[in-house]
Amino acid sequence: MANDKTVSSVGEFGLIEHCFKNLGRSDIPGVGRGIGDDAAVLFVPRTQDLLATSDTLVEGVHFTRDADPRQLGWKALCVNLSDIAAMGGEPRWYLLSISLPPTTPLAWVEQLALGLAAAGERYRVALVGGNTTATTGPIVLTISLFGVVGNGRPILRSGAEEGNRIFLSGTLGDSVLGLRRLTGVDRGACEKGMVDFLLDRHVRPMPRTELGMALVDAAVARSAVDVSDGLLADLGHVCAASGVGADIHLEKMPLSLAARQWLGDGDGDRWRVLLTGGEDYELLFTISPGALDQIPAIAEKVGVPLTEIGVITREKGVRVWNSGKPLVLSDAGFKHF
Ligand SMILES: [Mg+2]
């Protein structure tokens, strides 16, 4: 289709047919009826529980019109995938509800769909329905994602116990450093390869789906959360849900080479950025000390480093230690309101 077309020139059904229908994938199990009926028909085996999550992206709040729509499509699906990963589930199906101004270029929606298709391919999830509406307001994109996990096996935030060891996957803070580059907060000399790495970590999160599923398989995780609001805020959610506290140690924190260079001598303000920045989409989980010897095999199996960063305590609150000295931090992460 020509690139000067808008969504109003193809209409709702044209848009679905042209952009979204091929996101329906025929290789995903459990789809009795996907796009094209009044509702999707989905099958969940009796041995599994259904997981459901939803996330909304609003133009002007979560993205700008000049953002790359392909990256937006990837990220919109991946933030939902990360929530299913945190529960240890296998992602399966999603619904897409999108409100578009009639003047939105068709090419914008095509690119968005390509980003969704790439994430759907990588994480094996199918679009099974949704809704398309015209709006006089900003673009609004809501994805609801469904996954499955063995009966009674989902990893909850509320299972952390005193003495549990706290683990973090991947590396901390790359995404917020990418965002700071993108928005011009951080300028100045930095190796191009490092900048590209940080930007990629911000716009192209890689949900830890395989890790979540491996933690369920091995039955080792007592609690888990994905790091979306910032490590301190999300660890705080686990502690609040479990009625416990935590000590974490900065010298143990897994950092990329780029983040380590940016951190330099590691003053408190810079640590605060890494600990509260958010959008890491890594998994934070706790295990009992008896399960420690299983962690290296899981890390190897899923190809993601897993680092012990602290311990769950009976005393409530999250305490951050910098080489044995307490680090006082005021702001504990992203707040939605
Ligand atoms: Mg989450």
Side-chain angles (χ1 to χ4, degrees), residues 83 157 226 228:
D83 280 328
R157 295 177 175 187
D226 68 315
S228 53

mmCIF file of all heavy atoms in Angstrom, residues 83 157 226 228, ligand 1:
data_model
loop_
_atom_site.group_PDB
_atom_site.id
_atom_site.type_symbol
_atom_site.label_atom_id
_atom_site.label_comp_id
_atom_site.label_asym_id
_atom_site.label_seq_id
_atom_site.Cartn_x
_atom_site.Cartn_y
_atom_site.Cartn_z
ATOM 1 N N ASP A 83 5.671 -9.594 32.582
ATOM 2 C CA ASP A 83 4.799 -9.905 33.725
ATOM 3 C C ASP A 83 4.456 -11.391 33.781
ATOM 4 O O ASP A 83 4.411 -11.978 34.865
ATOM 5 C CB ASP A 83 3.510 -9.076 33.652
ATOM 6 C CG ASP A 83 3.714 -7.657 34.164
ATOM 7 O OD1 ASP A 83 4.543 -7.458 35.072
ATOM 8 O OD2 ASP A 83 3.037 -6.746 33.656
ATOM 9 N N ARG A 157 4.499 -12.811 44.450
ATOM 10 C CA ARG A 157 5.332 -11.851 45.182
ATOM 11 C C ARG A 157 5.342 -12.159 46.679
ATOM 12 O O ARG A 157 6.214 -11.686 47.394
ATOM 13 C CB ARG A 157 4.780 -10.435 44.985
ATOM 14 C CG ARG A 157 4.856 -9.939 43.550
ATOM 15 C CD ARG A 157 4.227 -8.562 43.446
ATOM 16 N NE ARG A 157 4.395 -8.004 42.106
ATOM 17 C CZ ARG A 157 4.070 -6.760 41.774
ATOM 18 N NH1 ARG A 157 3.541 -5.959 42.684
ATOM 19 N NH2 ARG A 157 4.261 -6.324 40.552
ATOM 20 N N ASP A 226 9.006 -8.888 38.159
ATOM 21 C CA ASP A 226 9.871 -8.357 37.098
ATOM 22 C C ASP A 226 10.199 -6.908 37.443
ATOM 23 O O ASP A 226 9.411 -6.199 38.074
ATOM 24 C CB ASP A 226 9.228 -8.480 35.705
ATOM 25 C CG ASP A 226 8.023 -7.591 35.521
ATOM 26 O OD1 ASP A 226 7.172 -7.537 36.438
ATOM 27 O OD2 ASP A 226 7.925 -6.938 34.471
ATOM 28 N N SER A 228 10.241 -3.556 36.638
ATOM 29 C CA SER A 228 9.708 -2.558 35.709
ATOM 30 C C SER A 228 9.702 -1.166 36.336
ATOM 31 O O SER A 228 9.986 -0.181 35.672
ATOM 32 C CB SER A 228 8.290 -2.940 35.271
ATOM 33 O OG SER A 228 7.462 -3.171 36.389
HETATM 34 MG MG MG B 1 5.383 -6.695 36.813
#
